[in-house]
């Protein structure tokens, strides 16, 4: 069974998703509206996540898509507005339900500042500005 990995940047204005294979090759990308549940409705945020994932995986081999043999061991989502444990619990509930029909084994939610720091610099004194 082929394994694919999903990375999500869920913002207040748009959501970007990248699907990559086990070798790190990017298979597809998806873009949709916001997934920040503090600035948009839960329904819209869920729809936007599902739509961006759909776009990112539409280039997967047809045989696997037809057989339902795609496996996503992990989906990591950097989410704008994920600033408290209450927001985390609500977002986890909303998004784990939204993606339940995918074969995703583990969902990890972090504040989007963490993925910005990890992606932007390997310096120990890095700073990000989100505006």
């Amino acid at each position: 069974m082929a394994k694919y990995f999903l990375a999500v940047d869920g913002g207040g204005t748009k959501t970007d998703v990248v699907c990559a294979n086990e070798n790190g090759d990017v298979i597809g990308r998806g873009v949709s509206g916001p997934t920040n549940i503090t600035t948009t409705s839960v329904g819209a945020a869920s729809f936007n996540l599902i739509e961006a994932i759909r776009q990112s995986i539409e280039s997967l081999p047809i045989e696997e898509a037809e057989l339902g043999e795609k496996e996503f061991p992990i989906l990591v989502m950097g989410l704008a507005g994920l600033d408290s444990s209450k927001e985390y619990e609500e977002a986890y509930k909303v998004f784990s339900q939204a993606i339940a029909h995918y074969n995703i084994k583990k969902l990890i939610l972090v504040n989007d500042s963490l993925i910005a720091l990890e992606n932007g610099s390997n310096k120990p004194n890095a700073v990000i500005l989100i505006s």
Side-chain angles (χ1 to χ4, degrees):
M1 179 183 301
K3 292 182 183 176
Y4 299 96
F5 300 87
L6 296 168
V8 180
D9 181 0
T13 57
K14 69 179 172 72
T15 299
D16 292 305
V17 177
V18 172
C19 178
N21 66 15
E22 297 171 276
N23 299 321
D25 302 318
V26 173
I27 304 299
R29 297 177 184 272
V31 178
S32 65
T35 48
N36 180 336
I37 61 174
T38 61
T39 61
T40 192
S41 72
V42 168
S46 296
F47 173 83
N48 291 331
L49 177 60
I50 292 167
E51 175 58 18
I53 291 173
R54 184 198 63 76
Q55 292 173 21
S56 76
I57 66 173
E58 66 186 359
S59 296
L60 291 178
I62 293 172
E63 308 80 46
E64 292 180 28
E66 288 177 347
L67 297 174
E69 291 186 6
K70 4 182 224 320
E71 179 181 308
F72 301 97
I74 192 165
L75 181 152
V76 176
M77 182 174 188
L79 186 60
L82 193 66
D83 299 319
S84 70
S85 58
K86 182 180 177 188
E87 290 166 337
Y88 174 87
E89 290 168 11
E90 177 67 16
Y92 191 88
K93 177 182 168 190
V94 167
F95 295 124
S96 61
Q97 289 174 357
I99 63 172
H101 64 283
Y102 293 108
N103 191 11
I104 297 170
K105 302 298 182 196
K106 185 174 184 179
L107 170 64
I108 295 178
L109 297 178
V110 297
N111 185 282
D112 64 340
S113 62
L114 181 60
I115 63 170
L117 282 171
E118 288 294 323
N119 187 46
S121 175
N122 60 0
K123 305 275 186 198
N125 60 350
V127 174
I128 60 166
L129 173 63
I130 298 176
S131 60

